[in-house]
Each structure stands twice: as C-alpha cells, then as structure tokens.
Amino acid sequence: MWFSFWRSRDRFSLDHLRYLTDQLTKVQIVNDVNKDFVIEALRSIAELITYGDQHDPTFFEFFMEKQVVGDFVRILKLSKSISIPLQLLQTVSIMIQNLRSEHAIYYMFSNEHMNYLITYSFDFRNEELLSYYISFLRAISGKLNKNTISLLVKTRNEEVVSFPLYVEAIRFAFHEENMVRTAVRTVTLNVYHVGDEFVNRYITSTPRTEHFSNLVSFFRNQCMDLYRLVSETLKNPGSDSTSAITAVVDEIEDNLYYFSDVISAGIPDVGRLITDSILMLLMFPLLLPSLRIVDTNDMQSGVVTSLYLLCCILRIVKIKDLANTIVAALFYPSETFTKFSRGQVNGYASDCGFTSVSQKPDDNSAECKAEYLTVDVPNSSSSSGLYPESVMSENNCSRSNLALREVLLAYVTKGDDVQVLGSLSVLATLLQTKELDESMLDKLGILPQRKQHKNQLLQALVGEASGEEQLFSSENSSMRDSIGCELNTYLEKIKELYGLSYLCSDLVTSPRVPRFQVLDALVSLFCRSNISAETLWVGGWLLRQLLPYSEAEFNSHHLELLQVSYKNSATALVKEVRGFWPDLLITVLCNEWKNCKRAMESSYPPKEPKCVLFPTQILSSEEDTPEGSSFAAGERMHELAKLMLYPVELLSRGAKSAIFHF
C-alpha cells in the first residue's frame, strides 16, 4: 500500500496535467522559493498539451475547462522575476506552434488572452526576453487565416479599429538586430497574405501607412551605407571592404525581395504606397541625380552604386507603375533631379535626413517633398546618331541638358569599365523587365526587332491601318502615336503626383531615332581599347537582343567600326602570342569561342549588375603585367582572345562574312 502511494506519477498522463494545473491555481505569489517550480510547471504543461493534441483530445478539453491560459496571465502579473515571463512566452509559443487542432487554436486566440500577452509591458531591455516575445508573435502569425484573424482584432461598425499583433510587431521592424527584423517581416507577411478585406483596410489607413514609407526610408539608409562603402573601397581597396560591401548588398536585396513579397499579397493601395515612397524618398532625390556626368573621380562611386541600385529595384520590385515611371523619368534632363535632391548627388551627402542603417527611420523623413519644378527640355532626339563626340565632349563633361537616357549612353561611349558595365546592366535590366510596356521600350530604343515586327503584324491583322503601312513604313504614324500616348501618360503622372513638369514642343519623335542612338553607342563601344572583354560581351549580348535575325539596321559606318575592332584585336593577339603561346592559341580560341557563343545566346546578360561594385583589373598591355608573372601574362592572352572573338560572334553569318572579307 505504501509502495503504491509513493509510486511516481506518469509524466504524460492526464493526472499529471491535473496536478500541475491545481498547483498553479494555488500560487498566490511568485518568489525565490517557488520560482523554479512555477517555471517547471509551465514547461511541463506545454509538453503535455502538445502530446495530448496528437494522442488524446481529453488533455486539451481539460485545459479549456480549467481555463489554464487565464492562470498563465495571472502568474505573469504576480511575477517580479524575468525568468517567469521568459518561460511563459516560450510555453505559449510552443503550444501555438505545435497545436494541430483548429478547435484548439480557436480557444487559444479567444478570450483576449493572446492580445493581453501581446500588449503586456515586458522589459525589452533584456535581449533574451525580446527574442522570446518576437518568437511568440511569429508563432501566432503562423496560425492566421480568415477565421482565426477575426479573434485577434477589435471592430466597430464592421471596421477594424485595433489589431495589436500587427501594431506591436511593426514597432520592431527597424530593430538593430537582424534576426528581430527578419521575424517581424515574417509576422507582417503572414498578416498580409491572409487576404482579409477589413484587416487590409486597417493596414492601409493612417497612421499605419507610415510603416511603408518608413520601410523605404530604412532601405534608403542601407543604400547610403553602400554609397559610403563603395567610396571608401575605391580609396582603400581590400578584402575587408569587399566582404563589407557583400554583406550590405545581401541586406539590400533581402529588403527588395521583402517588398516584392508584400506586393504579391495583393493588398489594394500597398503597391501605390511603396511606389510613391521609392520615388519620393529614393529615386528622385538620390539615385537619378547621382547618374549625372561629373568630372570628379571621387564622385564616380555614386554613379556605379546608383546604376547597381537602379538595376536591383527594377529586377526585384515587380510594380508596373514604378517601372514605367522610372523609364519616363529617364527622358528628363539630369539637372531636374539635381534640383530635386537639393544636395550632393554623386557622393553620398544629402539633406533629407539620412541616418545609420541601425537607427529607426525618422518619421519626418517621409515628408521630404518635391518642389514644383518646370524644366525646359531641348529636343535632343533630333539627331540621327549618338556618337562619343556629340554626347560627351572633353570640354563639356557635365552637360545638364542631356536626358538621363542619353547620360546612360554617354557612359557607354566614354565612361570607364565599371560605368560602361553599369549602364549596359541598366539597359539589359529594362529590356528584361516584364512590367514595362513595350511602347516604352521602343521609345528608349531597346525594343527587340522581333517584337517590333510582331506588334506591326498584329496591328495590320486587326485592321488598325493598311498592312503595307504597318509592316513596311519606316515612319509608322500609328506606332508613333501609341508610343507618345503611353509615355505622355506617365509624364503627366510625374507632373501631377510629384510636381516635375516636362516641357517639350516635340516630345514624340520617330521611333527609329532612339533605336539608332542605342546602336551607335553600342557599336562605338566595341572600338574602345580600355574596356574589359567581359564588359564588351554584355554589350554584345544586348546588341544580339536588339538584332536577333538580321543586321538590316546596320549601316556602313557600323560595319566599318566592327571591322576595325576585329582587326585591332586580332593584331594585338598575334603580337601577344608570337614566340610564347603558339601551341596554346588554338585551344584558347576554341574554348573562348564556345564561352562567347554561350554568353551571346544566353537568356540573361553574361554578368550580374552587382559586378559593378567589384571592379577587376584589366591587363591590356605588358606594362600592366607584374614582372615575371606567367599567370598574369596568360590572363592577358585570354583577354585578348576574348576581345577578338566577340565582334565575330555577335553578328549573323552575313555580318561575319563582311568582317572577314574586310
């Protein structure tokens, strides 16, 4: 009999659960004497409820009957020790995460107990407690659906007036600890993807809308950190600076992917809020002004960083209005946005309240508004070509009347290797941005020829104009009107929403002019001797996208430039291999030709935009080769082989014949 009395209680039994809950009910004060028992009781109850949910429903029925969650809240109020809130948050988190029964989740979220714990005044100076609290919020958000979310909100007249889970979570959206920020993003995405109409209206109403502008402000601060790092790296290159840039780039891309995930939830107005914030806080005052041509070498870091960020935003953030507005802004002169920024644009100084990435964005930073600007824009598209001499002369390197689109082409023809790669990356990214209207691409001069022919054929088939006019007219009025109308739409939006007025008497020019400008710039690039082969391959890839089937738009000047490029690179290669590499030359040419062909025919550019942030040294002459380094000499020989092969590969068979015949 005594043996049976002292027999240990089965750990995973209803009797043990009953014992633990009875003991918790008797606790009237939590002190050093009973603290350890309370902690162990809370931990054991979490284990028992999780076990019972999977094996015996009577466990949770007893848990509900005794209203144990109410005892949890009571114990929290009695506690003065930090260890009790830690264990309580862990207990509730474990239970919520592991409960499979929908009925059990309904009970946990009812009776306002969860909202009480969410809004409880925990001492977040303790980092461990904050970590447990954020995990608790994430556990709750993981169980949200259109039914359970209604248990966590308060409504009045069928409108949500309070949602503690969301409001408390976004308080930590800009915490200095990356793990906390990541967990908060998970919570918000779980809320957004529920798709509850009333909750969505609450999220997109004042003052919650400030969260989206604050997100962009925080992202802008990260961009400013990247500007600083790139600038410092150019002055003091080293492995540490490279790893620091890589870390910031990863964070920047993670933020943009988060924006993309938020937009994919399909909440009305969220895309507009993010678009407005990106344009007003980042694009107009910082990125676009930084693209202007400058003489100072110290400010070139701002150019390449802006080119990378522009590519990154277009590639990741899938918003049609954002992409088309950015393209429309490229038709403004750079001086427009220099005035908009009211600060140093090619460096990293600005007066819009940039702070360290670890600091919470200033709420007033979202109010950095544009002044209403009226800009006279000369008709710079009237020329039939865009050559280095006409775009960026030696004595006039900071022409403010150039449209930003022309500035990009100017970097292609006269910029250094990283500026060329950055500009080509922007053009390639625009070409691959599905959210852009094809008419906008055509106005930029980068609409692939096959798409032009397809559009003309479709218009001819539906009878918008005579087939002969649509397919063969070089000055297609219908296409021109369509292009001008689409571009005008976004120019008007920029004027109405952001206060930037575009005045031009002849905005819509021949659709062939921008295309010839791009072709002229690309072909001129191939004649440059101070550009790496890999960068030239990106230009070749872009040219192949524009002219995939024929070289009909190549004039004699284009072919002459390509012939000169081929002849010069072949001569340099012969000089390099004479006496040193003759037995290796055929192997190198075969391998590099395969690589070149693969790069030209790929669906994506040969180099990623982030490569502009990590420039490589170009070994183009013997003077560049370290003395006695056979490896460096071999690298130079490979580089010269690439330079010879790309003009051969980027054209069709007819053009190749023309080159070799020359």
Side-chain angles (χ1 to χ4, degrees), residues 275 279 284 319-329 331-332 435-437 439-440 483-498 500 502 507:
T275 295
L279 293 173
F284 292 163
I319 304 178
K320 179 179 179 180
D321 277 351
L322 177 62
N324 284 280
T325 302
I326 291 174
V327 169
F331 290 90
Y332 282 84
E435 289 72 29
L436 276 175
D437 291 303
S439 62
M440 301 289 280
I483 294 171
C485 180
E486 193 66 42
L487 181 57
N488 269 324
T489 298
Y490 284 98
L491 291 173
E492 284 298 318
K493 283 186 177 181
I494 293 176
K495 178 180 179 180
E496 293 175 5
L497 298 178
Y498 312 112
L500 296 174
Y502 188 106
L507 174 64

Side-chain angles (χ1 to χ4, degrees), residues 155-175:
T155 60
R156 184 184 303 127
N157 298 327
E158 297 187 352
E159 291 292 332
V160 175
V161 295
S162 175
F163 189 10
L165 174 65
Y166 181 76
V167 172
E168 295 300 319
I170 62 177
R171 284 179 53 205
F172 301 96
F174 312 107
H175 193 271

Side-chain angles (χ1 to χ4, degrees), residues 206-336:
T206 307
R208 270 78 53 189
T209 53
E210 292 181 3
H211 174 64
F212 298 103
S213 61
N214 287 338
L215 283 173
V216 177
S217 294
F218 183 79
F219 173 71
R220 180 192 61 188
N221 295 339
Q222 291 181 314
C223 295
M224 296 304 297
D225 286 348
L226 182 62
Y227 276 100
R228 296 185 186 97
L229 283 172
V230 173
S231 178
E232 292 169 2
T233 301
L234 290 178
K235 298 175 183 177
N236 302 300
S239 58
D240 292 341
S241 58
T242 300
S243 60
I245 290 176
T246 301
V248 174
V249 165
D250 289 342
E251 289 186 6
I252 284 174
E253 294 189 358
D254 285 346
N255 269 280
L256 289 175
Y257 279 114
Y258 173 64
F259 290 163
S260 180
D261 290 340
V262 171
I263 294 163
S264 69
I267 301 176
D269 294 331
V270 166
R272 177 186 58 79
L273 290 169
I274 292 178
T275 295
D276 288 346
S277 297
I278 289 177
L279 293 173
M280 290 293 294
L281 300 176
L282 182 64
M283 196 63 60
F284 292 163
L286 182 64
L287 298 191
L288 296 182
S290 297
L291 297 180
R292 73 185 179 101
I293 302 169
V294 295
D295 297 327
T296 308
N297 290 332
D298 290 343
M299 293 184 176
Q300 300 305 320
S301 62
V303 175
V304 297
T305 306
S306 294
L307 291 170
Y308 160 71
L309 291 171
L310 191 57
C311 290
C312 216
I313 292 171
L314 288 167
R315 180 169 52 90
I316 298 175
V317 184
K318 307 295 185 181
I319 304 178
K320 179 179 179 180
D321 277 351
L322 177 62
N324 284 280
T325 302
I326 291 174
V327 169
L330 295 179
F331 290 90
Y332 282 84
S334 57
E335 182 65 22
T336 304

Side-chain angles (χ1 to χ4, degrees), residues 413-448:
T413 57
K414 280 291 186 179
D416 59 28
D417 192 75
V418 290
Q419 291 170 344
V420 172
L421 178 58
S423 297
L424 292 175
S425 297
V426 170
L427 294 175
T429 301
L430 289 169
L431 180 63
Q432 294 181 303
T433 302
K434 296 180 180 179
E435 289 72 29
L436 276 175
D437 291 303
E438 290 186 357
S439 62
M440 301 289 280
L441 290 177
D442 204 8
K443 190 60 180 174
L444 282 172
I446 58 174
L447 181 66

